[in-house]
Amino acid sequence: MFIERLVALGREYLQGSPAELLRMISDVWEDGRFLQNVGIIEISLEAGFQAKRLPLQCWGEWSEKTIEGKRKTKTEREFLPERQRGLAIPFSRASSGNPKVPQGRYGVPVYLLFPRKEKKGKEEKPLNCDTFLSGRLERTMFLPRSFLETEQKAIAALIKEIEDERDLAATQKPNDGYGLVVLAIPGDGQPYRYSERRPPPGDPRSILLGESVLYPGKWIVADLGILAEQFRISKLEEGREMGSSDHCTLCGATPVDAVSAYCKSWSWLSATWHAPFPEERKKKDAIENLGEIVGTLCPDCYTALLLGAGVFSEVSGSIHQNITRELFLPVASAGGRRAGSGKAPRIQGAVLLLPLEIKPDSEAVLQDALAVYRSKTPRPGRRDQALLAITGFDGVLPEDFATDDYRLTMTYFTQSNADIHLRALIEDVLPSTVGALRDLLHNCMEGSVGIAHALEFTQTDRYQVLPYLLARAYGGSYLWKVLGCVLHREPVDWGSFLAGSAIRMNGYAREWLLGGDLIAHWNLKDEVYFYWLYRQFMFDYGILIQRGGMKLQDWKELLKRISEDQPASLCFEDPEELGFAAGYLVRLFGKTYYGKLKKDFLKHRVLSFGATLRPDDIWRLALSRFQEYAVKLDLHIEEDFRQRAAVVECTYRQMRDTVEKRRDAFIGAFWSGYMLAPIAAKEETTTKHEGGEKA
């Protein structure tokens, strides 16, 4: 149950400071743009009703950032909010519905102001301040008393002044027009109070709002302890809107004031998103009591849910566009892959760290490790593990949690307001597996440097990420299933990769040789590089999961064996080795063929329009007819080549049935040998030049 995992994660933060609690359950830290225009209305109820507003404030500063474009560099202004100070005026923005309409409960009288926009060439109507205020006061908790109609009129007039000043500021760029209206009502037991002294910067419990305009010489100060408690209780009341009971579904506490898991700040459990609900509850009018459907939570569990949801939001990140684009490309169509290279939708992911039962040596160490987990920034000099290579998005596993006493849950989803598409949920991943896979990928990339250099192929960075590697091998339809298998050290299918790779190689080779497409030539190099990289990955992965793996010979060793061993000693027992040798020989013969006729051998003699290249085509139209072509066309071929070709051709006859069963392996290896054959020719020429003719 996903809620249970968020609650387990959030429990570790229950003992945090009021500032930390506000940071996690409010939107101040994530949506600091509302601090651009802070309008504070000071209300005193000590001797009747008095209300005045402080001058409009900007809690932050603007800085310039440089953006490098394809053609030119441009400079933009960026707002840097004072987030720590912003905790004094915490707010929550609804994740679904119309955010401009009063929603949920307000634990503190802090209300959002949105910029006025153009609609069909006309500017939006000015804010109706009376309606704006009355609708929000009805949902505001912990007010010292209700306001009379005349008092509300006076407050609304001050809000109008704030809005006018905000609109004027928004015309002076770079101000965006986002803002806040704060009703500061200082008093005993209230979140705001008067102070004779200005609080020092950095005070962990008291934050300055500004100097009083009703009582000059005094300062309006926020008490974070009271703020945090009132804000937390207001969230509980949001849950009560969708049901309550006298027992907690998770911890079993009873009798207790338990409320539904519904909250405005977490859209995964919204009444407008019907995906998690039973069919009979998906009708609009059937979702009246969320507590009956999902369960109810006691105050501690509900607060832990809020904290866990906040952490989930913090550690979530977008996976790279290379991966998302690969998800929507056909795995078995070279032409389709080129046609489908447009913009892909944004997919997000998050890693949940569970369970957190075995703790480090001290609470301070635990809190430090949890802060690293949330910030996604490794500590210098520590063995914190970056998770990008394994997950496809930024994340950090602190070294304190990198033991198998913990488990990781990886979540991939697409979110648009309250519409959630859960793509994958991979549970119970061992940190040791993550570390082993990171090392495995690193070693594979280091081992592939040679073949990348040989193919003059430089764009290898995207292959350093496991989800991209698997999406490329199996296609987007199977990525999440295969990723789950790999993260759980389960066997992975090899044949599907070979089939897709062979089809893509055939497609790109046809576009290159028959159509003269140089991009297809580059794509074929890419496929050959990927073919050998993934072979190495699978071999190392086999060792990782079962202390053994498929037989694998390095491409350099295979190339050297086929080009330098004595023909009489050549022996091929596997269709892949045989296919590689066939590709090597066809490329060498093609060089002689082109030197005589100025025509490409494969294009002229082997490939036919519209047909798929099969192993039998290579044998029937190439391997078995080298001698015939040489005689008819008066081609000079070396005796050494004749003997090697004879060995390969005879071996093919003997293994014909086996090759047919594993034709994808043969074709993939064939194009590898074909593309890498010039490497052996270069090395042979260099050897002859430096050391004379070989004996």
Side-chain angles (χ1 to χ4, degrees), residues 50-61:
Q50 299 181 77
K52 280 190 177 182
R53 70 178 184 90
L54 278 66
L56 191 69
Q57 303 176 52
C58 176
W59 287 18
E61 60 182 17

Side-chain angles (χ1 to χ4, degrees), residues 301-333:
C301 288
Y302 188 89
T303 303
L305 171 65
L306 293 177
L307 294 172
V311 174
F312 179 81
S313 177
E314 281 188 271
V315 301
S316 295
S318 298
I319 66 176
H320 197 275
Q321 278 293 312
N322 280 335
I323 303 173
T324 53
R325 185 164 54 245
E326 192 66 38
L327 285 173
F328 297 95
L329 293 179
V331 70
S333 171

Side-chain angles (χ1 to χ4, degrees), residues 671-683:
W671 287 116
S672 296
Y674 186 84
M675 296 299 290
L676 291 169
I679 310 305
K682 288 180 182 178
E683 292 181 353

Side-chain angles (χ1 to χ4, degrees), residues 284-309:
K284 183 178 180 181
D285 297 334
I287 307 174
E288 297 176 353
N289 192 325
L290 204 61
E292 292 181 358
I293 304 173
V294 180
T296 52
L297 305 178
C298 66
D300 283 348
C301 288
Y302 188 89
T303 303
L305 171 65
L306 293 177
L307 294 172

Side-chain angles (χ1 to χ4, degrees), residues 393-407:
F393 53 87
D394 290 327
V396 167
L397 177 63
E399 68 169 326
D400 310 79
F401 304 137
T403 72
D404 288 349
D405 294 323
Y406 300 89
R407 296 295 184 270

